[in-house]
Every structure is written in C-alpha cells, then in structure tokens.
Amino acid sequence: MLRSITTPEMPSVAIASSHVAVAPAASAAASPSLSFRRSCVSLPLPASPPSRSLRRQLPLPVCAFLKRNPKRLKYSSPRFFKKWESMLYVEMDLMGAETWRLDPVIKLIKEGAVGVIPTDTVYAIVCDLKSYSSIERLRRIKDIENKKPLSILCRSFQDIDKYTVGFPRGDGQGQTNIFRVVKHCLPGPYTFVLPATKELPKQCIKSGRTAKYESRKHVGVRMPDDPICQAILQNLDEPLVSTSVKWPSEDQWMLDPVVIADIYEPEGLDFVVAGGVRVADPSTVVDMTRTHPTIIRQGKGLKLDWMAEGGEDSDG
C-alpha cells in the first residue's frame, strides 16, 4: 500500500506503509505498478452489531500469515526510519531528472539508514561508510557472512586515494602509469580491487562486536556511471558501503525495484530508490593487487588491452 505526502515545500514522495488505510480506487490511481505483501489480512465485521441469528452465520476474521525463512528471521533488522514506521519508496526518471526527490533519501543515509539505490549495472544495498552500526545492519539485512568483504561507491578519485593506496601513477623507471588508463574507465561498470588503507572501517572487512578483526587487506572500489547514483553520492560527505542485491535463497541478482521492496521491507530496509528494471549484467571486477591487472569476473565492462584474463568471482 502506498501513501503520498505533499507539502508546499516538497512535492509528493511515495511512501509504503502498513498502518495507513487508503481507499481501493485512490490507491490504484496513485500507484498502479506497486504492491507490497502484508503479513496479516483481516476481514472486517459490520459496523452495527448484528442480531444473534446473523452472528451465527458470519465467518470469523481470517488471517493469512506469510511464512518467512527462520534463517532470515535470525538476521532481520528493525527499520531505522521510525517517524512513519514505513519504508520510503522513491521513483526516479532513468536520466536522474527531478533530483529533489532524492533529498529525503540523502537525509536518511546521513542519519544512518540502510537502503537500495540503482547503479550503472545492478541494484545495490548501501549505507554510510562512517556509520559502523549501519554497516552491521546492512550485513544482517542481506545475511552476509562476517568474513565477506564489502565494496565502496566513491564520488571521485580523491575518495579512492583516501581509502585505498590508489592506482600506480608510474615512477619514471619502468613502472606503468595505471592511473592514466584507469581514468578512461571511470566512471564506468568496473570494480577495481585495491589494497585498503587504515581509513577504511574495519566493518568493511569483518563485522561483529566480539569478533577479532582481520588485518585490512583489499577492497573493491566503484565509480558508477549512473545519474541517480551520482546525484546521491555528490550530496554525501563520504562514500557508500555497497553490496549487490540478490535473492535471499539464490545466487541471482534482483533487478526489479518493486520486487526488491517487497522482499526486503520485512528485513528492515529503510528506503528504495527505483530507477527502472535493470539487466543482469554486473560490473567487471579487476584485481589490481597482482603483478598485472587481472580480470577475476567479466561483466558489463569491456576487457581492455592492459587487463589480463583471470578466474571467476561470483560476487566481486
């Protein structure tokens, strides 16, 4: 069910809510393409008390409960956005027009929310890099193993140089200037794996309050060539921690934002930015920690002359 809020200062933003009743005709007109599952549906009794004979014939209220995976319940996380007790759903034009619609999303991210945004490849679950509790919530929502590393979405090469050792710029003594060729790839559908610096939060490597953090090693960095994603990143103070959105029980990407909202809202997702249905074509992952830049997953990004072929990596 959707509810629209309109104020003089801000045009309407669609919000999914399970606590607000909307007339069927109005609801269908406001959001013909969006429908969220409900955990319980009750049949109302008549307003006036019926007679005793009629009460014998009336059926009891019926409740239809949606069965959830016990493993998912273990990792489910309470929703951050408490004001409306609902998930924020924002529909965007594919070209990123009307960026004012993203203002509530940017505000939520800065306050520690976890949500889904589009990239130039598939959808990604993201949160603020500096919010350690949000990173842990992101892992619980997606049910990611503690040792699973996370990628970061960067606004510029300056962010990449801050949280990684950066791309080799050549030393004039035979070392290749990788930075010069990488500039032609970014922004673009590539994930470059680089050695991390001490600025990178430990939660990006391993989560858990009592867990012994492993030494920082490598992290994947991205600069997506997507107008919606770029509009969000340019209005934040830090990069975003990111992981691709996949089906809970399958190793397949989720490409429809309506389905993503339907599946992950019960897990505690705070917002979804809808930018149309995507194609199952992930980023090309290039390992920059080897002697030669090596492709460990071929995706949307083309193989260039300076990239060597390597093995497959399922999640990059």
Side-chain angles (χ1 to χ4, degrees):
M1 190 176 297
L2 293 179
R3 181 161 60 89
S4 297
I5 297 178
T6 305
T7 63
E9 295 78 8
M10 180 180 296
S12 62
V13 177
I15 298 181
S17 175
S18 60
H19 302 282
V20 180
V22 182
S27 176
S31 57
S33 63
L34 182 61
S35 175
F36 294 105
R37 297 181 302 179
R38 289 291 171 265
S39 59
C40 180
V41 177
S42 299
L43 298 180
L45 294 175
S48 58
S51 62
R52 178 176 301 177
S53 61
L54 179 60
R55 282 201 301 266
R56 295 175 182 174
Q57 303 175 8
L58 288 176
L60 294 175
V62 178
C63 290
F65 293 95
L66 295 178
K67 189 175 182 180
R68 296 176 62 190
N69 190 325
K71 182 179 180 182
R72 300 289 301 169
L73 283 171
K74 178 181 178 181
Y75 291 93
S76 61
S77 175
R79 191 172 293 112
F80 170 83
F81 195 35
K82 297 295 185 183
K83 185 176 181 180
W84 300 108
E85 289 292 344
S86 59
M87 186 192 68
L88 182 67
Y89 188 93
V90 180
E91 290 185 294
M92 294 292 297
D93 180 80
L94 294 179
M95 301 305 295
E98 299 181 331
T99 55
W100 52 264
R101 292 178 179 271
L102 296 172
D103 291 345
V105 173
I106 294 168
K107 182 176 183 294
L108 283 176
I109 293 175
K110 291 181 178 180
E111 293 176 350
V114 178
V116 170
I117 66 172
T119 70
D120 54 354
T121 54
V122 295
Y123 278 91
I125 304 179
V126 300
C127 68
D128 187 3
L129 180 74
K130 290 297 185 179
S131 178
Y132 302 155
S133 60
S134 298
I135 298 176
E136 293 180 358
R137 287 188 58 234
L138 182 151
R139 289 183 179 274
R140 290 199 300 270
I141 288 173
K142 196 186 174 185
D143 189 8
I144 302 178
E145 297 178 0
N146 288 343
K147 294 183 179 181
K148 193 79 172 180
L150 300 170
S151 301
I152 57 176
L153 304 181
C154 298
R155 303 163 296 178
S156 63
F157 283 97
Q158 184 176 359
D159 286 338
I160 295 178
D161 291 337
K162 179 179 180 180
Y163 294 102
T164 72
V165 298
F167 299 100
R169 286 169 166 78
D171 55 5
Q173 299 180 359
Q175 184 184 25
T176 305
N177 190 339
I178 298 296
F179 176 73
R180 183 175 60 184
V181 294
V182 167
K183 286 195 301 182
H184 298 288
C185 301
L186 299 178
Y190 292 91
T191 299
F192 291 103
V193 180
L194 292 165
T197 64
K198 293 182 179 180
E199 295 292 332
L200 183 71
K202 296 177 180 179
Q203 284 81 356
C204 291
I205 305 298
K206 189 175 181 180
S207 67
R209 296 181 179 179
T210 60
K212 294 182 180 179
Y213 293 115
E214 297 178 350
S215 59
R216 297 179 187 85
K217 295 181 179 180
H218 311 127
V219 65
V221 295
R222 289 213 60 202
M223 287 176 59
D225 187 16
D226 179 86
I228 301 174
C229 184
Q230 287 185 354
I232 295 174
L233 289 172
Q234 293 302 324
N235 285 278
L236 297 174
D237 301 324
E238 297 290 343
L240 290 173
V241 175
S242 166
T243 181
S244 58
V245 184
K246 291 189 175 183
W247 288 94
S249 59
E250 301 177 12
D251 191 23
Q252 297 293 332
W253 287 276
M254 299 184 68
L255 309 172
D256 190 334
V258 174
V259 178
I260 293 173
D262 187 39
I263 297 297
Y264 279 96
E265 180 188 14
E267 304 302 329
L269 204 64
D270 301 313
F271 64 86
V272 170
V273 179
V277 178
R278 300 284 149 151
V279 179
D281 199 2
S283 64
T284 295
V285 182
V286 184
D287 188 353
M288 307 295 290
T289 65
R290 306 185 186 184
T291 305
H292 300 286
T294 304
I295 295 179
I296 57 178
R297 184 185 70 190
Q298 181 66 60
K300 186 176 181 180
L302 299 177
K303 178 185 178 300
L304 303 179
D305 295 338
W306 51 274
M307 299 177 184
E309 293 184 357
E312 291 288 331
D313 183 15
S314 61
D315 195 60

